[in-house]
Amino acid sequence: LLDKFKTINRILQVDTKTLELAGATVQTVLILQAHKALRFEKMIAFNTAQDVYWGFYQLNFIDHEQFWVVYLDHSKQVKFREMLSKGGMDSTVIDFMLVIRRAIDLLAPMVVFVHNHPNGIIEPSTEYIQVTKKSIEALKVIDIDLVYHVIIGKERFFSMA
């Protein structure tokens, strides 16, 4: 794999099917997936939506929706993360006041929203587009930026904000 992709970081960015086509064994793929799932613990910053995706890679394998919020400092370093809600197969409830309160308590100037779609459809629903727009507007009033809203499903992601 190193011959083909040159670095470990590039290997970690490749999807499972590409790894298998490149000759990776099932065991190797599973080890890489576990590494991706644990990578958040070592991640100190979310500079791109792809960083967010890899940090929450484990959401690809959960059979219900989860909505997470990550609170960042000015350098986009992670200050705190929490699961805001856990839902059913195709929805979850978000209490936006909890996001605002925690962001203020942590003095976090930036937040990231992350949630999964167990069905694999990563395109945002009209409801999520509206929630994202309203969140951006509400957070701006108190000088907090929503830098990413990432939807994860079936080893793909979509980023809003």
Side-chain angles (χ1 to χ4, degrees):
L1 291 176
L2 279 172
D3 287 341
K4 180 170 178 115
F5 299 107
K6 306 296 182 213
T7 69
I8 299 230
N9 280 338
R10 286 189 183 154
I11 291 170
L12 291 173
Q13 293 173 357
V14 175
D15 63 78
T16 301
K17 288 180 185 176
T18 304
L19 289 171
E20 289 170 351
L21 289 172
T25 65
V26 173
Q27 282 181 319
T28 301
V29 170
L30 290 173
I31 289 168
L32 289 169
Q33 287 175 341
H35 178 74
K36 288 176 188 177
L38 294 172
R39 206 168 165 202
F40 182 86
E41 302 306 322
K42 295 179 181 175
M43 188 160 292
I44 56 170
F46 283 145
N47 294 309
T48 66
Q50 188 172 27
D51 289 343
V52 175
Y53 171 71
W54 289 124
F56 284 89
Y57 188 79
Q58 72 276 8
L59 291 181
N60 280 296
F61 310 105
I62 297 174
D63 65 356
H64 58 277
E65 280 201 24
Q66 290 185 1
F67 192 98
W68 288 76
V69 181
V70 182
Y71 303 88
L72 307 174
D73 67 14
H74 287 288
S75 301
K76 293 188 177 178
Q77 294 202 2
V78 176
K79 292 181 80 135
F80 187 72
R81 71 178 183 136
E82 68 181 334
M83 185 187 338
L84 192 62
S85 68
K86 185 190 301 190
M89 295 291 292
D90 61 2
S91 67
T92 189
V93 178
I94 304 159
D95 186 345
F96 190 68
M97 293 302 291
L98 295 175
V99 175
I100 291 173
R101 184 176 70 198
R102 178 76 74 185
I104 291 170
D105 288 347
L106 293 168
L107 300 174
M110 297 181 231
V111 296
V112 174
F113 291 168
V114 187
H115 75 279
N116 65 317
H117 284 174
N119 63 10
I121 299 170
I122 57 172
E123 290 72 27
S125 65
T126 304
E127 179 184 358
Y128 275 121
I129 292 170
Q130 291 303 317
V131 165
T132 302
K133 286 180 181 177
K134 287 180 182 180
S135 299
I136 290 169
E137 291 171 14
L139 289 165
K140 275 185 186 178
V141 171
I142 54 174
D143 291 327
I144 297 172
D145 293 325
L146 174 62
V147 289
Y148 309 110
H149 181 169
V150 177
I151 302 170
I152 296 173
K154 303 289 185 202
E155 297 194 54
R156 300 179 309 143
F157 73 95
F158 183 90
S159 177
M160 296 185 284

